[in-house]
Amino acid sequence: VESLEILLLVLAIIEAVCIGVFVSLFFNRRKKISELEVKVAELGNSKDLAGSSDIDDNKYIPMLVHELRAPLSVIRGAADLLLKETSTLNKSQIEMLLGQIKNSSTGLLDLVGDILDVAKMHSGIFEVKKAKGSLQRLVNEIVSYTDPLIRVKEIDLTIQDGEDLPEFEFDAERVKQVFNNLLSNAVKFTPEKGSIQIVLGREENFAKVQVCDTGVGVPDKDKAKLFHKFVQAHNQANSKQKGTGLGLVIAKGIVEAHGGKIWVQDNKPKGACFVFTLPMGGAEG
Ligand SMILES: Nc1ncnc2c1ncn2[C@@H]1O[C@H](COP(=O)(O)OP(=O)(O)OP(=O)(O)O)[C@@H](O)[C@H]1O
Ligand SMILES: [Mg+2]
């Protein structure tokens, strides 16, 4: 029971950190919004500038708070039960509750990490740590222990990496995060028995990674927005999918911190192709 009390204390700390992050993110954004409003007034073109900015509304804050509350509620509920019913719960029930606490806090920490990354990107202090490595190996490794959903959905996944890429400097953890998000999106938005094709290649001095799927695709009007805002495309086919819409915002921040580019194009005959490039050589990006 003592250890449970320690656990509760840890959870209280996580909660406090989350609230702190939100308060600072909120005020930071309010500050940026007022700066922006001044610029907008100067230009006399309020609609266009506000519309093209990342920070033109706080609509996403309640949604993110909700995303934080859900796992916290699970954790609190499970911890409450463990404390109140200590004498009546059997071993497997206790393990089940502790498992819920562990999964929810892992999800929570991931989300808090994402929010911090986005906050750093917005304030221009996000950095990558580059070291020499093989992009080819990284991609193959991730694919080799991919999502069990690929099997469940009977998705046909292929990698095309004919061209030998030389080793070059990049931040492996961060690039993994980009690739993981593109792959998990492709899996998420591709229906059963669809296919995903990963193509690795080079274009001049840039390595180029493409993740193409035969899923619902991205409407033209949403193509640019996805990378800039906390949005999820509103086509009915994917409206039921879970997620915060932070993944691509972070992916763009990471790729650009390397000096690369990321974009989405249509796949033929259907689906989406998410593409990113990373500079391979010499000069710093
Ligand atoms: N392969 C894809 N096919 C169709 N739509 C996509 C695809 N990848 C992303 N999208 C659209 O872009 C939106 C944003 O994707 P993003 O990865 O940023 O967020 P998410 O996957 O919803 O949440 P998170 O990655 O934070 O869990 C998705 O909700 C979806 O509408
Ligand atoms: Mg995603």
Side-chain angles (χ1 to χ4, degrees):
V1 175
E2 249 179 41
S3 64
L4 285 175
E5 278 166 357
I6 294 172
L7 186 70
L8 276 181
L9 187 70
V10 171
L11 295 176
I13 294 170
I14 296 181
E15 197 166 1
V17 169
C18 294
I19 292 166
V21 165
F22 264 100
V23 169
S24 71
L25 196 65
F26 184 78
F27 283 111
N28 196 0
R29 289 175 81 84
R30 280 260 39 112
K31 189 166 149 259
K32 286 197 179 159
I33 288 166
S34 9
E35 281 165 10
L36 215 115
E37 277 162 1
V38 172
K39 280 195 203 139
V40 166
E42 277 169 16
L43 287 169
N45 188 8
S46 60
K47 267 243 164 85
D48 281 1
L49 190 50
S52 66
S53 160
D54 283 346
I55 51 175
D56 62 345
D57 62 48
N58 288 319
K59 267 192 305 203
Y60 68 94
I61 289 184
M63 184 269 291
L64 283 179
V65 172
H66 176 80
E67 294 285 325
L68 287 170
R69 282 191 75 126
L72 276 171
S73 306
V74 173
I75 293 168
R76 236 260 293 270
D80 268 352
L81 258 179
L82 283 164
L83 281 171
K84 281 192 201 128
E85 312 286 334
T86 321
S87 52
T88 55
L89 292 171
N90 64 33
K91 191 165 177 273
S92 73
Q93 287 171 320
I94 292 177
E95 276 169 7
M96 194 265 287
L97 290 169
L98 288 173
Q100 283 183 354
I101 291 177
K102 187 172 176 228
N103 290 341
S104 296
S105 32
T106 305
L108 202 53
L109 279 175
D110 289 349
L111 183 56
V112 170
D114 282 357
I115 294 169
L116 279 175
D117 283 347
V118 172
K120 282 186 191 161
M121 286 164 184
H122 276 298
S123 19
I125 55 169
F126 179 77
E127 280 176 359
V128 289
K129 297 188 196 85
K130 295 184 193 172
K132 205 165 185 178
S134 160
L135 185 63
Q136 223 147 356
R137 209 179 313 129
L138 178 141
V139 165
N140 280 292
E141 230 173 73
I142 295 175
V143 172
S144 72
Y145 38 69
T146 34
D147 216 321
L149 250 185
I150 293 183
R151 235 165 297 146
V152 174
K153 289 175 95 173
E154 296 181 55
I155 290 174
D156 174 38
L157 185 135
T158 52
I159 308 186
Q160 204 178 303
D161 66 344
E163 212 170 336
D164 260 349
L165 288 177
E167 294 207 338
F168 66 96
E169 299 233 316
F170 60 92
D171 186 329
E173 279 313 305
R174 291 305 193 166
V175 172
K176 234 184 231 177
Q177 201 179 339
V178 174
F179 185 69
N180 262 328
N181 183 47
L182 297 188
L183 189 57
S184 74
N185 283 348
V187 176
K188 190 152 68 167
F189 297 106
T190 300
E192 281 181 22
K193 299 198 163 66
S195 62
I196 296 177
Q197 196 189 20
I198 295 158
V199 185
L200 242 126
R202 65 184 294 174
E203 223 169 67
E204 294 172 4
N205 208 27
F206 285 80
K208 184 169 164 187
V209 181
Q210 301 187 57
V211 181
C212 298
D213 63 55
T214 57
V216 295
V218 178
D220 281 340
K221 67 174 174 47
D222 291 326
K223 283 197 171 80
K225 273 203 296 196
L226 292 182
F227 297 96
H228 289 282
K229 300 193 176 192
F230 301 79
V231 287
Q232 303 181 304
H234 294 300
N235 47 39
Q236 74 287 44
N238 66 22
S239 61
K240 286 199 289 306
Q241 297 295 342
K242 278 176 76 172
T244 57
L246 288 178
L248 290 174
V249 179
I250 294 172
K252 178 177 155 76
I254 294 173
V255 169
E256 289 180 352
H258 280 84
K261 289 205 172 96
I262 184 165
W263 69 93
V264 57
Q265 60 200 39
D266 290 330
N267 193 14
K268 291 165 271 170
K270 90 194 264 287
C273 272
F274 282 80
V275 190
F276 69 92
T277 61
L278 296 172
M280 293 194 294
E284 279 288 331

